[in-house]
Amino acid sequence: MAVKLHFSKGHGTGNDFILFADPDGSLELTAEQIRALCDRHFGIGADGVIRAVRSANLDAGAAALVENPGAEWYMDYYNADGSVAEMCGNGVRVYAEFLTRSGLAELAQGEILPIGTRAGVRDVQRSALGYQVDMGRWWLEDDEPLVSAKGLKVARPGLGIDVGNPHVVVALSDDAELEALDLAYVPVIDPEPVNGANVEFVVPGEPLIRDGVGHISMRVHERGVGETLSCGTGTVAAALAIRHWAGERAPDEWRVTIPGGTVAVRMFPTEEDGEHVSLSGPAELVFDGEVTLA
Ligand SMILES: N[C@@H](CCC[C@H](N)C(=O)O)C(=O)O
């Protein structure tokens, strides 16, 4: 029987998503359905799909990841190719906007909305830019893979960073090198990470630090999608990588410019869990609709 799906379309700095509410967890889409919805010519078109499920209705595997019982809602995130991803930094802000706009959750200024993800719980609050997300901890990978990409004259070393999902960050020398990249082709990472990775190409600002704030520009090739206008977790990984390379005098406050806009990244200490990193940026819902699932 054909199923009608009510959806909202939204984006965070041009990274766009199809969102729908499935509070009971009864409407799991197939990878084929997700690919069809995300198709920009034959479907609605999006970089990913977000299903809003109540954490209480998750299957046991997913529920185990939502260790905070306060996370009433879970962000069930899928890339445009139908694969799952652990986290989505732009998606989680757009998800907060979707939950609050549709009356499924409340979020007053200064309050926190915990959201369950495959990478654990992420705390979201309203901010001057739209929403701020506590992205939690991260891990530097031990090895430095070589990354080659179409338009890049020589392969460059990348820094592997896990911010809940996997990233490899590559530093380029200037804007001309960034613009010359053809990210319609998948960058090759050698050795290839077992679960794949999102690849960020980053250029330091000139100057890198202005009034105590670091500035970088970035383009990204997302795992399971292709080039996108923005990747929230990618901007966080890029800021962490540049701070790592810049050494002790590098700031904890960063502005990352991507083709879809600019977001803010901040590293901050926590008492109980070491250093965390936050991501702030806009989240917009642009239209609602109904589609019949094949
Ligand atoms: N666009 C997202 C990241 C989405 C998941 C990514 N493609 C992956 O497979 O890890 C973001 O804003 O973080």
Side-chain angles (χ1 to χ4, degrees):
M1 197 186 69
V3 175
K4 282 213 164 121
L5 185 73
H6 295 274
F7 68 90
S8 295
K9 179 79 193 295
H11 75 94
T13 52
N15 193 194
D16 60 346
F17 312 101
I18 297 162
L19 304 102
F20 69 98
D22 180 26
D24 304 337
S26 55
L27 187 55
E28 271 202 46
L29 301 185
T30 64
E32 200 181 338
Q33 287 171 323
I34 289 163
R35 284 194 290 272
L37 291 173
C38 291
D39 191 298
R40 296 200 182 273
H41 301 286
F42 296 97
I44 300 163
D47 294 328
V49 169
I50 296 174
R51 182 173 70 127
V53 192
R54 279 213 161 80
S55 302
N57 297 325
L58 291 170
D59 60 43
L65 293 167
V66 187
E67 72 270 16
N68 178 348
E72 182 187 355
W73 289 97
Y74 180 80
M75 176 176 79
D76 187 23
Y77 180 86
Y78 297 85
N79 286 318
D81 72 351
S83 61
V84 293
E86 302 85 344
M87 224 329 248
C88 179
N90 289 323
V92 76
R93 300 194 315 273
V94 180
Y95 185 53
E97 178 73 0
F98 174 77
L99 290 177
T100 52
R101 279 277 195 93
S102 50
L104 294 169
E106 285 180 5
L107 182 57
Q109 197 73 39
E111 283 185 354
I112 282 175
L113 177 64
I115 289 177
T117 75
R118 291 189 178 85
V121 173
R122 297 290 181 261
D123 287 342
V124 182
Q125 56 186 298
R126 294 188 189 277
S127 75
L129 293 178
Y131 290 92
Q132 176 177 305
V133 188
D134 180 344
M135 305 282 281
R137 301 193 64 175
W138 70 93
W139 296 265
L140 288 183
E141 306 290 356
D142 293 336
D143 49 351
E144 289 202 343
L146 267 188
V147 179
S148 36
K150 192 155 179 5
L152 198 60
K153 287 201 180 90
V154 286
R156 293 282 170 85
L159 183 64
I161 302 196
D162 190 317
V163 296
N165 58 346
H167 296 264
V168 173
V169 183
V170 181
L172 302 184
S173 41
D174 53 31
D175 289 341
E177 206 172 14
L178 189 66
E179 279 160 25
L181 288 173
D182 185 350
L183 295 181
Y185 293 83
V186 186
V188 176
I189 310 169
D190 183 21
E192 175 72 23
V194 184
N195 297 317
N198 304 283
V199 185
E200 287 79 28
F201 296 92
V202 186
V203 175
E206 281 184 24
L208 175 64
I209 301 162
R210 275 176 258 154
D211 298 328
V213 178
H215 291 261
I216 54 179
S217 308
M218 176 192 119
R219 282 175 67 191
V220 59
H221 187 281
E222 281 197 40
R223 177 181 68 165
V225 191
E227 181 171 22
T228 59
L229 294 182
S230 175
C231 173
T233 49
T235 59
V236 167
L240 287 166
I242 296 284
R243 186 184 70 157
H244 174 77
W245 285 319
E248 273 176 18
R249 294 175 63 190
D252 291 332
E253 189 81 40
W254 293 83
R255 296 290 174 275
V256 185
T257 299
I258 48 271
T262 298
V263 294
V265 175
R266 189 169 64 87
M267 299 81 174
F268 62 99
T270 68
E271 272 177 20
E272 67 288 350
D273 195 30
E275 193 181 60
H276 278 203
V277 59
S278 73
L279 169 68
S280 300
E284 292 188 32
L285 296 175
V286 287
F287 65 88
D288 297 330
E290 196 175 77
V291 64
T292 304
L293 292 173

